[in-house]
Amino acid sequence: EPEVTQTPSHQVTQMGQEVILRCVPISNHLYFYWYRQILGQKVEFLVSFYNNEISEKSEIFDDQFSVERPDGSNFTLKIRSTKLEDSAMYFCASSGMRLARDTQYFGPGTRLTVL
Amino acid sequence: AQSVAQPEDQVNVAEGNPLTVKCTYSVSGNPYLFWYVQYPNRGLQFLLKYITGDNLVKGSYGFEAEFNKSQTSFHLKKPSALVSDSALYFCAVRDQAGTALIFGKGTTLSVSS
């Protein structure tokens, strides 16, 4: 069964450093998403992406964040200058269609620890 | 604004007993409702969704959920719980216009043998 994959599984970085989190969505999916889950809190939407453009973003997704689909398979989330409060589990998801009825399938997540 | 409430932080049931995990929502227009499960150190796994039609939706692993429009609820149920069902369960909603899933805070289900 196709699945979303994410690398690395755990990333440790120093405050102020740039990090890139990588995701490989399900191959025939067209819509991609990033969510985060701070330890002990709810899963929060960051951004959705389609056709090389951001479709929707939350207030969390400020200028420190960017997303990119650098090739036909990868989807990345970059945090330009990490802060302590960026420590969280970051989940990538993909769906086949943008219709709200379609299911988003999630990857296993990348745990980001900012020291 | 859209929101999801899961009023119980934890639900405890004995193996073989029925289980219910509660979810209520607030959204403008018709909701699209989802349940996901998260096992320790794992990602979110899709269980089931309500889009339209029959109010009782059946999903993976014997789970089902009942959509109640008047009560704005979408409770997750299973007739007979298994120890392996122990996990963190998230309810989520999308409206027809948006792309974002809005999640509840999650409910930990603990099934004892």
Side-chain angles (χ1 to χ4, degrees):
Chain A
E1 183 177 328
E3 58 183 18
V4 177
T5 60
Q6 291 184 242
T7 54
S9 57
H10 191 190
Q11 174 91 45
V12 180
T13 189
Q14 295 291 325
M15 188 170 56
Q17 295 296 304
E18 175 184 286
V19 294
I20 298 176
L21 309 182
R22 291 181 168 80
C23 167
V24 178
I26 294 173
S27 63
N28 62 345
H29 282 183
L30 301 176
Y31 298 89
F32 316 115
Y33 314 83
W34 284 102
Y35 292 80
R36 79 173 185 190
Q37 184 182 31
I38 295 173
L39 187 64
Q41 298 186 24
K42 66 171 68 175
V43 178
E44 301 172 292
F45 170 76
L46 293 177
V47 66
S48 59
F49 188 87
Y50 167 70
N51 198 26
N52 285 320
E53 290 185 348
I54 290 175
S55 299
E56 186 178 356
K57 61 182 181 179
S58 71
E59 293 178 352
I60 303 168
F61 195 87
D62 61 21
D63 292 343
Q64 292 298 314
F65 292 90
S66 62
V67 289
E68 187 180 29
R69 186 148 165 86
D71 54 43
S73 60
N74 289 283
F75 178 52
T76 62
L77 174 69
K78 181 191 291 186
I79 308 175
R80 210 158 280 121
S81 178
T82 50
K83 306 170 191 166
L84 295 176
E85 54 265 36
D86 293 327
S87 294
M89 182 74 88
Y90 287 81
F91 293 107
C92 175
S94 69
S95 66
M97 303 171 68
R98 185 169 179 254
L99 294 175
R101 63 179 61 200
D102 202 45
T103 300
Q104 293 180 20
Y105 292 94
F106 285 75
T110 293
R111 180 169 299 283
L112 177 65
T113 302
V114 182
L115 302 175
Chain B
Q2 304 167 67
S3 65
V4 174
Q6 293 182 243
E8 302 153 318
D9 290 335
Q10 179 145 347
V11 170
N12 299 308
V13 298
E15 188 173 32
N17 283 357
L19 68 88
T20 299
V21 183
K22 295 179 180 177
C23 171
T24 59
Y25 66 90
S26 173
V27 67
S28 56
N30 292 324
Y32 296 142
L33 294 156
F34 302 80
W35 275 101
Y36 287 84
V37 60
Q38 184 179 33
Y39 296 99
N41 301 314
R42 301 283 297 277
L44 299 164
Q45 295 181 33
F46 169 71
L47 277 180
L48 51 79
K49 65 183 177 184
Y50 171 81
I51 302 302
T52 187
D54 194 348
N55 289 342
L56 185 64
V57 178
K58 293 188 184 297
S60 306
Y61 313 119
F63 283 93
E64 57 190 28
E66 186 168 12
F67 172 64
N68 187 315
K69 188 172 184 177
S70 63
Q71 297 185 6
T72 61
S73 67
F74 189 56
H75 300 332
L76 181 70
K77 300 181 180 183
K78 188 173 182 181
S80 179
L82 299 172
V83 172
S84 57
D85 293 330
S86 298
L88 181 57
Y89 290 80
F90 288 98
C91 181
V93 67
R94 287 169 86 168
D95 66 23
Q96 292 184 17
T99 60
L101 278 171
I102 305 302
F103 284 86
K105 63 179 173 63
T107 298
T108 299
L109 173 66
S110 179
V111 182
S112 56
S113 57

